[in-house]
Amino acid sequence: MSKMVVDCWNCGRQLRKDPNRTLRSDATCPECGEYLAQEMSIQSEDLFEPDESSFDDEDHISTLETDRSGLVLSLLVGAVCSAVFVIGVGFFLLSNKQNPVAHIEEVEQVSAPERSTDSAPVATPDVSMVSSKEPDSNEGIEPIARKKSRKLSKNTGFNFLDGDNYQFRYEVSAEFDNRTEVTTGRCTFTVNGRDKQQNAAMTSQEGAGTAFVVASNGILVTCAHVVDDADEIEIQISGKTYSAEVLKLDSESDLAILKIEAENLPVVPVADSETVQLGMDVRAVGFPLSDVLGTDVKVTRGTVSGMTKRNGRTQLQIDAAVNPGNSGGPVVNSKGEMIGVTSAKLSGVDVNRVGFCIPANAVREFLKGSGATIEDSQVTEDLKGPELVASVAPAVAYVKVRSGPDPLAKHTELNFSGSFNKTTKDTRGHMVPSFRMRGSRLGMGRGTMLLTHRGEIVRTTDEEQLPFLVGPPSELLIFAFHKGNRSSWTVKNETSLIQEKQATTASGIPLPRYRDPFGRRRNSEVVKVLPAVETKTYTVESDDKDSLVLKEKYEFRTTQSDNGQIIRMVGEGTITFDKLRGFTSKYDFKGTYLVESEQVTLKVPLKVTASLLSKQDIEAEQARVEQQKELDAAKPAAVNSMGTAPRLERQVHLRIPEMGWGIQQLVFSPEGQYLVAGKSDEYIEVFNVEEGGKVFKSDRLRELGNISSLTFSPDGKYLLAGGFKGEVHIWEFSDEGQLTPFGKFVGHSRDVSMIQVSPDNQRVLSGGAEKRIRCWDLKTQKEEFVLSQLEYTKLDVHFGDENRAFISDGRKLVKVKLDEGEVLEEIELRTSGSANNVFFSPDGKTLALTDGYALKRWATSDGAPLAELKGKEVLWDAEFTLDSQKILAGGRGHLVQWDVQEQKRDGQIILGESIMYVKPIEISPNGELIACYPSAAGQDLWIFRVRESAEN
């Protein structure tokens, strides 16, 4: 038995069809919901079982090899069938002149959604197999292949499966200065009810405008604001109604290209707008005030009265009467050629005798790549009024748009619950913006959400807000589909930015502001509400059976200034939607939070990631937790060193007052004579610690930014500094403490928080926010290799010799052979926790890090955990003493010393009760001096001398 093969024009799905079954003109693809009859190809083949390899690059069926007798038989049967078919079709057409499609039977096997009255007429297939027999319910079309599409499938939407666990985790991270603020959490959805009815009072909105034909195959031009954000677009032209698709739209130029399924349409020729002169007679053609004046075309007459710049673009000014509804219509000259497109806003106020239009040459440029062939005018002489209208009006179309929710649609009610945790990493005392979520650093949230199939949130009770205007956690993976099959669409919402009491930091940055799309109010006191607009533009990257990939462009912007400031959040992201589970599976977004004023603009880069967990992910995560519990149980018992430690006798060797904006990094020269400070205000200063004075101050290092790392080459000839902007600068260091520029390494793209030079003064290892270690030559700055095994930004390196190094981020310990760039060994240390500082002992036997209140340690030989040292305060920077037997750490207002062997605190150096923390700390190479800097700007730089006779 033969089969028919049908290609779906939209998603590329190939369907096998029984030739004895009728393919009705409104039959739809079971994959994407599109009508199969549109641009469809049907091919007859012998019965076979094709697979993916059976199709060429254009998804047509490859010819199967057959034996010679089989081929002859197939040709004979095909010829007989063709003759019978031609005779049958001829008889059918003759007997159905009045109603040529009356006897086409419906294919019941294909899901055919209801069609609105404004749907495009569908062409009859080139080949139809007509049968008077009613088709069986389980026979007819069956899918056999597909190809990816860049259009949105009609039936794609949020479909929650019974029994599925919709649990996703997310992370919002923002980096500024040398600080990273990270909010992590997870959210779980469960279905509370299906087929819920929304408020019947929420009705869709309608609007109207004008378009005109520029190519006879159904290409029209209109204004972007006429069709932007429209769910349905209806075109009325030449007494017929069509459904239109947006091929291209640009809000900045206010132009859009539409496509309807029609041929041989009259067109409006396009003139050269460079020939337009002031005083030229023009006519504006369109459908103004259609709700009052009706939907017959209207023509107003005027002249070109000026050429002006609006929103940075050239526009023609005309004095022909222009009213709402004229938008998108042609402005023509006396020959009936389009010189411009009327751009009065659809929702704008009446413009009395002043109108603006987009020049024709801008339209020509915009049409490039659309498939439209612009036709030149054949008119050589001016036309009289009636002749001109008769020439142009048939090519001008009435545009009707609909947008908004469907009040009759059924929705899903969801319960959601989630937890979140905010941590701040690598705080260095510099004044930076500080944001918080409502409630504590660790919190819970729960509520309900009513969601449409298209992803419209009808209502929600989520009051939690992620920082930097990212929005409610429960809405991270929710986005609005378009009703049609557009390849791109925009969603705009009027919203607000709410400021609560005590909502600014010391630097004037808004603290607990949040966006409020539903006009909610919290119990806390509201100080100010700023109106804002949220705009999301989605573009289909790919669409197949299993997944949909969208590109998102996002902007949140206050429309009213706050003390001269405009607050924005802009960025781009990628959304992956899992069609099988009916929910978003992955979201990646990179953006910038901005506070803009006339004097300065604050920019905070941020990143948002979210991913849906599979059942396998959840099970694997539970297994990791159990494994970690077993590992923790096998560790040596932690030592609780809380209590009062004796005050250490340390002589204040030098105290340098008022270090301005503060110090980010300290390093002693190898012989211990000089101390170099990398400052928050982008300067480097050199102090002679023996004579007690400053000997050098650099120019402002704008290319570096804040100084994130400092080191000397072991021979003391070079000083290296890494900066927030990703560069490493190298200076020659003289015996007098003077710096002479030598070179720079620009291989990094982000903050360089760690630099170390090999013992032979040849190689440099550097890394930081990129989570990569780069090895490069000190003299030539040529990169030799890159290590990407590490996962975190806190790094340290210890050189076993000139060719062997230990590298760690506190999660892994990596042993590397430098001359070959070979990883000799990689040891997993732990799976949880954070680190303020990672450091090796001078003898290389121990790796340690500060994690909250604890000092955690491992043996570098095999990665075995050593006893943790726990205190009663957060520990920031820390260093081993020269003999590797003690650790000196910065706490609240003092330095704390631990005895590693005795596993206890054995002393402290008091700096002052008002000091929040001490960081950085540096011990001189000979172990005799300790340099440290307290938190915040304007503090003093302290240098202590260690007394050999001091009791510890």
Side-chain angles (χ1 to χ4, degrees):
M1 178 179 175
S2 295
K3 292 269 187 170
M4 305 297 295
V5 177
V6 180
D7 289 343
C8 175
W9 67 275
N10 178 53
C11 68
R13 188 72 163 177
Q14 290 193 321
L15 309 169
R16 191 184 288 118
K17 190 186 84 69
D18 188 337
N20 295 321
R21 304 298 179 195
T22 300
L23 182 65
R24 183 170 154 167
S25 62
D26 63 353
T28 60
C29 174
E31 180 66 34
C32 67
E34 285 299 329
Y35 298 104
L36 293 172
Q38 185 170 352
E39 302 179 10
M40 181 184 68
S41 64
I42 299 180
Q43 302 170 353
S44 178
E45 300 286 345
D46 290 338
L47 179 62
F48 62 98
E49 294 295 332
D51 55 21
E52 292 292 336
S53 63
S54 302
F55 304 95
D56 61 17
D57 291 339
E58 298 182 4
D59 292 305
H60 292 147
I61 305 295
S62 299
T63 304
L64 298 179
E65 294 185 4
T66 58
D67 57 51
R68 188 179 303 274
S69 60
L71 178 62
V72 173
L73 178 60
S74 297
L75 291 174
L76 291 175
V77 173
V80 173
C81 291
S82 298
V84 173
F85 169 74
V86 171
I87 296 172
V89 169
F91 176 79
F92 174 77
L93 293 176
L94 288 175
S95 61
N96 292 277
K97 289 182 179 180
Q98 301 301 320
N99 188 11
V101 296
H103 292 88
I104 295 181
E105 300 294 336
E106 180 181 4
V107 181
E108 294 185 353
Q109 294 77 6
V110 181
S111 175
E114 293 184 3
R115 300 172 58 192
S116 58
T117 56
D118 60 340
S119 298
V122 182
T124 304
D126 295 335
V127 179
S128 299
M129 303 302 291
V130 182
S131 172
S132 60
K133 185 175 69 173
E134 187 72 20
D136 296 334
S137 59
N138 294 318
E139 297 180 5
I141 295 178
E142 53 182 303
I144 57 174
R146 65 179 185 276
K147 67 177 181 181
K148 288 190 174 181
S149 170
R150 293 179 66 89
K151 292 185 179 180
L152 180 65
S153 303
K154 269 189 175 180
N155 59 354
T156 303
F158 288 88
N159 297 304
F160 292 87
L161 304 177
D162 292 330
D164 202 343
N165 188 348
Y166 291 91
Q167 183 178 151
F168 68 90
R169 56 189 169 201
Y170 60 84
E171 178 179 295
V172 179
S173 61
E175 297 186 4
F176 37 84
D177 212 16
N178 283 295
R179 170 177 177 167
T180 300
E181 183 174 286
V182 180
T183 301
T184 58
R186 64 175 58 204
C187 187
T188 301
F189 285 102
T190 56
V191 177
N192 187 44
R194 301 183 186 274
D195 297 332
K196 298 285 185 178
Q197 186 87 34
Q198 74 177 44
N199 187 353
M202 298 177 65
T203 58
S204 59
Q205 299 176 344
E206 294 187 353
T210 306
F212 59 95
V213 182
V214 293
S216 60
N217 62 340
I219 304 294
L220 296 86
V221 168
T222 186
C223 282
H225 72 263
V226 173
V227 295
D228 193 13
D229 202 29
D231 294 322
E232 299 176 13
I233 304 173
E234 181 180 284
I235 296 292
Q236 297 178 13
I237 186 171
S238 301
K240 296 182 180 180
T241 299
Y242 302 89
S243 179
E245 175 190 355
V246 177
L247 294 183
K248 185 178 180 181
L249 186 146
D250 180 27
S251 298
E252 291 187 7
S253 63
D254 198 23
L255 288 172
I257 302 174
L258 307 180
K259 178 69 170 71
I260 61 174
E261 295 304 322
E263 299 290 342
N264 302 319
L265 294 175
V267 301
V268 178
V270 181
D272 181 0
S273 55
E274 293 294 328
T275 64
V276 173
Q277 299 178 353
L278 294 179
M280 175 185 291
D281 287 337
V282 295
R283 288 173 173 81
V285 186
F287 299 87
L289 304 173
S290 57
D291 55 341
V292 177
L293 303 178
T295 57
D296 292 331
V297 69
K298 307 295 186 300
V299 180
T300 56
R301 183 174 182 176
T303 60
V304 177
S305 55
M307 299 181 186
T308 185
K309 288 276 189 180
R310 299 185 71 217
N311 299 323
R313 297 178 182 270
T314 301
Q315 289 201 339
L316 305 178
Q317 181 179 332
I318 60 175
D319 58 14
V322 173
N323 292 289
N326 273 116
S327 296
V331 175
V332 298
N333 59 19
S334 57
K335 296 179 182 179
E337 301 168 327
M338 187 273 292
I339 65 163
V341 181
T342 306
S343 59
K345 295 295 184 182
L346 179 67
S347 58
V349 180
D350 264 6
V351 181
N352 187 18
R353 308 299 296 176
V354 177
F356 295 94
C357 62
I358 304 164
N361 287 359
V363 179
R364 285 179 179 271
E365 186 68 23
F366 187 70
L367 283 167
K368 288 182 178 180
S370 67
T373 302
I374 300 176
E375 300 185 17
D376 296 327
S377 174
Q378 303 300 318
V379 180
T380 57
E381 298 180 355
D382 293 347
L383 300 174
K384 295 181 180 180
E387 295 175 344
L388 187 150
V389 174
S391 172
V392 174
V396 180
Y398 175 67
V399 181
K400 187 175 181 180
V401 298
R402 297 184 182 90
S403 62
D406 182 359
L408 300 179
K410 302 292 185 178
H411 314 304
T412 303
E413 186 175 63
L414 303 169
N415 291 331
F416 61 82
S417 61
S419 61
F420 54 82
N421 182 37
K422 190 182 79 170
T423 58
T424 302
K425 300 180 180 179
D426 195 21
T427 303
R428 297 175 180 240
H430 187 52
M431 294 178 66
V432 295
S434 177
F435 297 82
R436 68 170 175 83
M437 296 172 65
R438 182 171 181 250
S440 62
R441 288 178 175 266
L442 176 63
M444 300 290 293
R446 61 181 67 250
T448 61
M449 176 187 295
L450 188 63
L451 186 69
T452 71
H453 174 72
R454 293 174 53 212
E456 296 169 313
I457 300 174
V458 180
R459 70 170 184 267
T460 180
T461 61
D462 193 357
E463 293 189 351
E464 299 299 341
Q465 295 284 329
L466 295 172
F468 303 101
L469 303 180
V470 174
S474 63
E475 298 178 18
L476 272 179
L477 296 186
I478 306 295
F479 64 95
F481 289 96
H482 195 270
K483 283 183 180 177
N485 64 332
R486 284 203 201 173
S487 59
S488 180
W489 67 97
T490 299
V491 179
K492 291 183 179 179
N493 294 316
E494 292 185 2
T495 180
S496 60
L497 192 63
I498 296 178
Q499 179 180 349
E500 297 175 353
K501 191 175 182 179
Q502 298 178 345
T504 58
T505 65
S507 54
I509 307 304
L511 183 62
R513 298 175 183 238
Y514 60 92
R515 64 191 200 196
D516 185 19
F518 295 94
R520 298 188 301 271
R521 295 292 181 267
R522 303 194 178 193
N523 295 328
S524 55
E525 181 180 347
V526 174
V527 176
K528 190 178 298 182
V529 179
L530 298 176
V533 174
E534 184 182 45
T535 304
K536 303 175 184 178
T537 299
Y538 302 103
T539 302
V540 177
E541 187 75 8
S542 64
D543 187 7
D544 59 21
K545 175 186 176 183
D546 299 330
S547 65
L548 166 71
V549 179
L550 302 176
K551 292 294 184 182
E552 177 195 45
K553 289 186 177 181
Y554 179 86
E555 180 180 21
F556 180 99
R557 179 187 180 92
T558 56
T559 57
Q560 176 182 316
S561 66
D562 178 20
N563 296 323
Q565 295 178 337
I566 293 295
I567 300 170
R568 301 172 59 213
M569 201 272 273
V570 298
E572 297 185 359
T574 301
I575 300 168
T576 304
F577 187 83
D578 187 337
K579 291 186 176 181
L580 301 180
R581 298 184 69 185
F583 197 75
T584 307
S585 60
K586 190 176 182 182
Y587 179 54
D588 292 295
F589 177 86
K590 291 183 178 180
T592 306
Y593 174 89
L594 305 104
V595 180
E596 302 172 331
S597 66
E598 294 181 359
Q599 291 79 21
V600 68
T601 297
L602 168 74
K603 295 183 178 180
V604 179
L606 60 99
K607 182 180 179 181
V608 182
T609 59
S611 58
L612 184 66
L613 301 179
S614 66
K615 293 181 179 179
Q616 292 79 6
D617 291 334
I618 297 172
E619 292 173 356
E621 190 172 88
Q622 292 172 345
R624 285 195 297 270
V625 171
E626 293 300 323
Q627 183 181 15
Q628 185 61 39
K629 288 181 179 179
E630 295 176 1
L631 292 174
D632 292 341
K635 288 182 180 179
V639 177
N640 188 342
S641 59
M642 294 178 64
T644 302
R647 186 163 181 165
L648 296 176
E649 294 296 330
R650 295 289 186 262
Q651 177 186 353
V652 178
H653 175 72
L654 189 63
R655 183 174 178 180
I656 304 172
E658 296 184 4
M659 293 300 297
W661 283 99
I663 295 175
Q664 303 275 32
Q665 288 291 323
L666 291 169
V667 64
F668 280 97
S669 59
E671 81 287 351
Q673 181 181 359
Y674 296 101
L675 176 67
V676 181
K679 300 183 63 184
S680 302
D681 53 6
E682 303 175 347
Y683 290 96
I684 286 180
E685 296 182 0
V686 182
F687 302 92
N688 188 319
V689 296
E690 295 180 356
E691 299 177 1
K694 180 166 47 178
V695 298
F696 180 84
K697 181 178 180 179
S698 69
D699 295 329
R700 190 169 184 179
L701 303 171
R702 297 182 183 276
E703 292 180 345
L704 275 177
N706 293 331
I707 311 302
S708 303
S709 53
L710 283 172
T711 195
F712 275 95
S713 60
D715 59 11
K717 293 181 178 180
Y718 300 97
L719 175 72
L720 293 80
F724 179 73
K725 296 183 179 179
E727 293 186 0
V728 178
H729 288 203
I730 310 168
W731 296 269
E732 291 181 336
F733 193 83
S734 72
D735 293 339
E736 295 76 27
Q738 302 300 301
L739 302 183
T740 303
F742 176 77
K744 63 177 67 174
F745 178 74
V746 294
H748 296 281
S749 61
R750 301 174 66 188
D751 186 20
V752 182
S753 60
M754 186 282 300
I755 314 171
Q756 294 288 353
V757 182
S758 62
D760 60 359
N761 303 290
Q762 297 296 319
R763 292 186 175 91
V764 181
L765 294 178
S766 57
E770 287 183 324
K771 304 176 184 178
R772 291 181 175 87
I773 295 289
R774 299 182 184 273
C775 180
W776 45 281
D777 187 277
L778 174 61
K779 304 296 177 58
T780 65
Q781 295 89 58
K782 182 178 179 181
E783 188 174 281
E784 296 182 359
F785 62 85
V786 179
L787 298 176
S788 58
Q789 281 83 358
L790 304 177
E791 302 175 0
Y792 292 85
T793 60
K794 303 301 176 186
L795 305 167
D796 197 24
V797 170
H798 176 79
F799 290 94
D801 52 44
E802 59 267 13
N803 193 37
R804 186 169 55 92
F806 297 149
I807 306 171
S808 181
D809 61 353
R811 295 292 178 93
K812 292 181 180 180
L813 176 62
V814 181
K815 301 179 182 180
V816 183
K817 188 176 182 181
L818 297 179
D819 59 355
E820 298 178 2
E822 178 187 359
V823 175
L824 301 175
E825 187 177 9
E826 184 175 329
I827 302 173
E828 290 283 347
L829 301 178
R830 59 181 187 153
T831 59
S832 63
S834 60
N836 291 320
N837 186 42
V838 178
F839 55 105
F840 286 92
S841 61
D843 60 13
K845 295 180 179 180
T846 306
L847 168 68
L849 60 82
T850 57
D851 182 2
Y853 288 20
L855 279 166
K856 299 181 179 180
R857 301 177 300 140
W858 294 265
T860 56
S861 58
D862 56 4
L866 304 176
E868 294 181 2
L869 306 176
K870 288 191 176 180
K872 60 181 180 180
E873 60 191 342
V874 175
L875 303 174
W876 300 95
D877 205 1
E879 294 288 338
F880 276 95
T881 56
L882 186 62
D883 58 7
S884 300
Q885 299 302 307
K886 298 182 185 295
I887 294 176
L888 200 64
R892 183 183 177 92
H894 56 199
L895 295 175
V896 182
Q897 181 171 285
W898 268 269
D899 187 306
V900 176
Q901 297 298 324
E902 297 294 330
Q903 301 180 9
K904 67 177 183 179
R905 296 198 325 166
D906 67 353
Q908 58 182 329
I909 303 174
I910 305 297
L911 298 178
E913 295 181 357
S914 62
I915 296 171
M916 293 295 294
Y917 55 86
V918 180
K919 182 181 181 178
I921 300 172
E922 184 71 4
I923 300 176
S924 64
N926 59 12
E928 294 181 1
L929 298 176
I930 300 170
C932 62
Y933 184 78
S935 62
Q939 298 286 337
D940 298 346
L941 172 60
W942 295 74
I943 303 176
F944 297 94
R945 182 172 293 278
V946 179
R947 292 182 178 178
E948 293 298 333
S949 60
E951 293 183 4
N952 294 330

